Amino acid sequence: MADAPSSTPLPPPTRSAKPVSEALLNEKWDHAISSLLIRSSLGLSFGVVFSVLLFKRRAWPAWVGLGFGAGRAWEEADGRSLPVRKGV
């Protein structure tokens, strides 16, 4: 048989990294969605507690708490994604 050249295993091809702007955008969306889930569930739980304790088990305090939590998360995400303009 002919002498086969010694072949070394080639490293796997590297994938091109995501652009920095896309990575930042992904991080902002991840933070916004996790904040939305956490704050909405906290608002809902406070609404349920207040509904049971103060409002004779009505549904509206739970919905209001959910809305307050979602609104708070929205404002946080909006403030984080938009730069602050001074003088406007």
Side-chain angles (χ1 to χ4, degrees):
M1 292 195 103
D3 290 9
S6 62
S7 60
T8 59
L10 295 175
T14 58
R15 295 184 184 185
S16 61
K18 291 182 180 179
V20 175
S21 60
E22 186 177 344
L24 289 174
L25 188 62
N26 286 342
E27 182 181 328
K28 287 180 182 180
W29 271 107
D30 289 344
H31 182 38
I33 291 171
S34 66
S35 178
L36 176 74
L37 290 174
I38 291 169
R39 292 185 189 274
S40 295
S41 61
L42 281 173
L44 180 66
S45 62
F46 275 110
V48 167
V49 168
F50 285 135
S51 173
V52 169
L53 295 178
L54 300 175
F55 297 108
K56 299 179 185 176
R57 297 186 183 190
R58 297 187 187 249
W60 66 267
W63 289 107
V64 169
L66 181 72
F68 279 142
R72 180 72 177 109
W74 180 276
E75 283 298 316
E76 181 184 331
D78 192 35
R80 182 179 164 134
S81 65
L82 296 177
V84 177
R85 291 189 226 162
K86 294 183 179 179
V88 176

